[in-house]
Amino acid sequence: MEKLRNLFAVKKNQPEEEELDNNITNQDNIRITYYQSGFAAAQKATGKPIVLKACLQNVYNSFEDQCRNQKIEQEKLKKPYHEEIERQKSEIKKLETAKEINDEKQVEYNDKVSQIKDDIIDVRVNPNNHGLIVERNPKIKFYIGLALLLPITLYLLVFYISASYSVFFKEFNDDSLSSAIFDAQAFSKALQDGALEAILIVTIPFVFMGLGYIIHMMQKVPGVASKIKLLGLFIITFLFDGLLAYVIEKKIYEFNRTPSSPDFDLTIAIKESEFWVIIFAGFIVYIIWGLVFDFIMKEHESLDKINVFIRAKQKELAKINLELKENGIISDSIKSKITEAKGKISEAQNKIDGFIFPVKKYLHYHHQYVEGWFQAIGTEIALPARQKDELLENCQTICNNHLIALNLNEDSTQHTIYTQN
C-alpha cells in the first residue's frame, strides 16, 4: 500500500507541466503496481476475504486522496465547468443588458399611460391645448340649445300640421273661421278622413325641417356657388310658407266673399293680417329653428371632436397597456433566465470547489488490484481446489459488495462529482 501512496504522491517542487508528463508516462506503471500490490497483499493475508475488504477500502481511500491532491488532473477535469461559468456569465451580461432596455421601455410605457390619462382629463377642460378648435363649455351650450330646439320643433309640428290640414282638406264654415290659422283638432280630423290624409299632414313639417338640415349642411361647403344655393333654399322655404298662407287666406276670402267682391289675388292677400300672421308664425319660427339647430349641431361637432380625441386616446391606451403587459412577461422571462444562469454558475462553482472522482479510472485500477489478489490465491496459496473455489467466490462477493457500497459499477458515468458542502 505504501508503494501505491509513493506512486501517486505529488511532488510539490515539480513544475505542473512536468507533473502532467510524468502522470501520463506512469499510467502503465500504476496499473502494474496495483496488480503487484494486490498479489502481495493476498499472499500475506492468505487470500482472506475480510482482509480483502479492508484492502479494497484502503485502495479506494488512497485513490480518492490522490485525486483530491492532483491539481493538474483536477483542473483538467474541471475545465468544462470553468467554461460553463464563463458562458453563463456572458449570458447574464446579455440578459442584464436586455433587462435594462426592457426596464427603460417599461418606464416609457408607464409615462405614456400617465400622459394619455392626463390628456383625456384635460381635453374636456382645455381642448385648445390638444389642437382642437372648440368653444369653451360646448357640452353646456349643446344641452341648452337642445332644450330650446325640442319645444320649437314641437311648435312647428303642431303649426304645420294645422296649416297643411287647412290647405288641403279643411272646408270653412261658421264654426271654423276662428280656427283658420290653428285648428287643435287638425290631426284627429285628418285621421277621421283617412290614414293617407293623416300621414300627409304629419310629414309636411318634416319637409321644412329637412330644408333646415340641408341649409345647415350647405353652410359647410365653401364657395360662392354654395352661398347662392343657400339663398335659393331660403327663398324656396319662404315661398312654400307664403303659398300655404295664400291658400288659407284665399279660402277665408272665398267664404266671406260677396257678389261685389273682386277676385282674390296676391295684392288682396298681402293686405290681410292673417296672411302675415301665417308667414311669421311659420317661416320666422322656422328660421329660429334652423339657427338653433345649426347652433347645437356645431356644439355637437365640438363635443364630437373631443369624443373622437378621447376614443383615439383610449385605443392608444389599450394598445400601450397590451404592450406593457407583453413587456412585463418579457421582463419576468429575463429575470427567470438570469436566476437560472446564476443557479448554473453556483452549481458549477460547487463542483469546482469540490473534486471530480474519475470512476472509470478507479474501476480499472480496482480490477487490476483484484486480479492480483485472485492470481495470488490461484497460484501462491496452497489449498484444496474446493476450498480455493469457495475462497475466490467469497472474495468476489466482497468485491461486489465494495462496489455496491460505493455505488460504482461498469455502467457508472465517466466521473463522479463531489461538491463542496
Side-chain angles (χ1 to χ4, degrees):
M1 195 64 63
E2 184 66 26
K3 188 186 294 184
L4 287 176
R5 293 192 181 94
N6 292 335
L7 191 60
F8 276 101
V10 178
K11 299 177 182 179
K12 297 185 181 297
N13 296 327
Q14 193 174 18
E16 292 182 354
E17 292 81 1
E18 184 180 348
E19 182 182 347
L20 179 60
D21 292 338
N22 290 338
N23 285 337
I24 295 173
T25 304
N26 291 334
Q27 291 301 315
D28 291 337
N29 294 333
I30 292 173
R31 286 194 295 271
I32 294 171
T33 302
Y34 269 97
Y35 175 86
Q36 292 175 346
S37 180
F39 191 91
Q43 279 185 316
K44 187 176 180 180
T46 63
K48 293 179 180 178
I50 193 168
V51 178
L52 174 61
K53 181 178 180 181
C55 289
L56 290 178
Q57 188 62 45
N58 289 336
V59 169
Y60 174 79
N61 292 337
S62 176
F63 185 83
E64 181 181 351
D65 289 340
Q66 297 302 325
C67 287
R68 290 180 184 274
N69 295 327
Q70 286 181 335
K71 183 177 179 182
I72 294 177
E73 183 67 18
Q74 285 295 306
E75 288 300 321
K76 180 181 177 181
L77 295 175
K78 294 175 181 179
K79 183 178 179 181
Y81 301 104
H82 285 289
E83 293 174 350
E84 175 67 14
I85 288 176
E86 293 303 318
R87 281 196 299 270
Q88 294 303 326
K89 285 182 177 179
S90 177
E91 183 66 19
I92 287 175
K93 287 182 180 179
K94 293 178 182 178
L95 290 171
E96 286 178 344
T97 301
K99 184 176 179 297
E100 288 177 3
I101 295 173
N102 204 64
D103 289 343
E104 290 177 359
K105 287 184 178 179
Q106 198 86 354
V107 173
E108 290 178 3
Y109 287 143
N110 288 326
D111 290 342
K112 286 182 179 179
V113 168
S114 298
Q115 184 61 49
I116 290 173
K117 290 180 178 179
D118 291 340
D119 289 344
I120 291 175
I121 295 172
D122 186 62
V123 72
R124 299 181 186 276
V125 182
N126 302 302
N128 295 334
N129 294 344
H130 304 276
L132 302 179
I133 302 176
V134 176
E135 293 185 9
R136 295 185 66 84
N137 301 321
K139 193 172 185 179
I140 296 175
K141 295 177 181 179
F142 171 78
Y143 286 116
I144 292 174
L146 188 62
L148 294 174
L149 184 68
L150 291 176
I152 296 174
T153 301
L154 185 61
Y155 166 84
L156 289 177
L157 285 170
V158 173
F159 175 80
Y160 280 109
I161 285 174
S162 177
S164 59
Y165 176 75
S166 297
V167 169
F168 293 106
F169 306 112
K170 190 172 185 177
E171 294 181 2
F172 289 88
N173 50 50
D174 291 339
D175 296 332
S176 59
L177 286 176
S178 61
S179 59
I181 297 176
F182 174 74
D183 189 345
Q185 304 298 321
F187 177 73
S188 59
K189 291 177 180 178
L191 193 59
Q192 290 175 1
D193 294 338
L196 291 178
E197 287 83 347
I199 293 172
L200 177 64
I201 66 169
V202 168
T203 54
I204 284 178
F206 292 98
V207 174
F208 287 89
M209 285 183 276
L211 288 171
Y213 179 77
I214 294 173
I215 290 171
H216 166 74
M217 297 304 295
M218 289 296 297
Q219 289 178 347
K220 296 183 178 182
V221 181
V224 178
S226 65
K227 303 303 179 185
I228 294 174
K229 292 178 182 179
L230 188 62
L231 179 60
L233 287 172
F234 276 109
I235 293 173
I236 290 172
T237 306
F238 178 79
L239 292 176
F240 192 2
D241 203 67
L243 183 61
L244 291 176
Y246 179 82
V247 173
I248 293 172
E249 186 60 35
K250 182 179 180 181
K251 283 188 174 184
I252 296 173
Y253 183 84
E254 291 296 334
F255 181 80
N256 295 320
R257 183 176 181 178
T258 61
S260 61
S261 298
D263 292 336
F264 186 80
D265 57 16
L266 184 60
T267 304
I268 296 173
I270 60 176
K271 294 179 181 179
E272 298 294 333
S273 60
E274 290 87 352
F275 177 82
W276 294 108
V277 168
I278 294 171
I279 289 178
F280 277 90
F283 182 73
I284 298 302
V285 175
Y286 162 76
I287 294 296
I288 295 172
W289 181 90
L291 293 174
V292 175
F293 176 78
D294 186 66
F295 172 79
I296 67 168
M297 288 300 292
K298 287 180 179 178
E299 297 305 319
H300 181 268
E301 287 173 2
S302 297
L303 282 175
D304 195 51
K305 287 179 182 179
I306 294 174
N307 290 331
V308 167
F309 178 87
I310 291 174
R311 284 194 294 270
K313 287 295 181 181
Q314 287 174 339
K315 288 182 179 178
E316 185 179 354
L317 183 62
K319 182 180 178 182
I320 292 175
N321 281 331
L322 181 61
E323 292 175 349
L324 194 60
K325 183 178 179 181
E326 292 175 351
N327 201 65
I329 294 173
I330 294 173
S331 180
D332 291 340
S333 176
I334 292 174
K335 291 177 182 177
S336 177
K337 289 179 180 179
I338 290 175
T339 302
E340 182 180 353
K342 289 181 178 179
K344 290 180 179 179
I345 290 175
S346 179
E347 182 180 351
Q349 188 62 51
N350 285 337
K351 294 175 180 178
I352 291 171
D353 293 340
F355 84 101
I356 299 176
F357 183 82
V359 175
K360 297 296 184 182
K361 182 182 289 188
Y362 169 74
L363 289 175
H364 181 68
Y365 294 157
H366 165 86
H367 293 317
Q368 291 293 322
Y369 187 88
V370 171
E371 183 181 352
W373 186 282
F374 284 3
Q375 189 68 31
I377 292 174
T379 60
E380 300 298 326
I381 299 175
L383 288 173
R386 185 177 61 81
Q387 291 183 5
K388 188 175 290 189
D389 289 342
E390 290 179 357
L391 181 61
L392 289 172
E393 288 179 3
N394 291 334
C395 289
Q396 183 63 55
T397 301
I398 292 296
C399 293
N400 293 338
N401 291 338
H402 170 75
L403 294 178
I404 291 172
L406 297 174
N407 197 25
L408 300 176
N409 54 61
E410 295 297 336
D411 296 328
S412 299
T413 56
Q414 181 68 25
H415 301 123
T416 297
I417 301 168
Y418 294 88
T419 58
Q420 185 177 24
N421 297 327

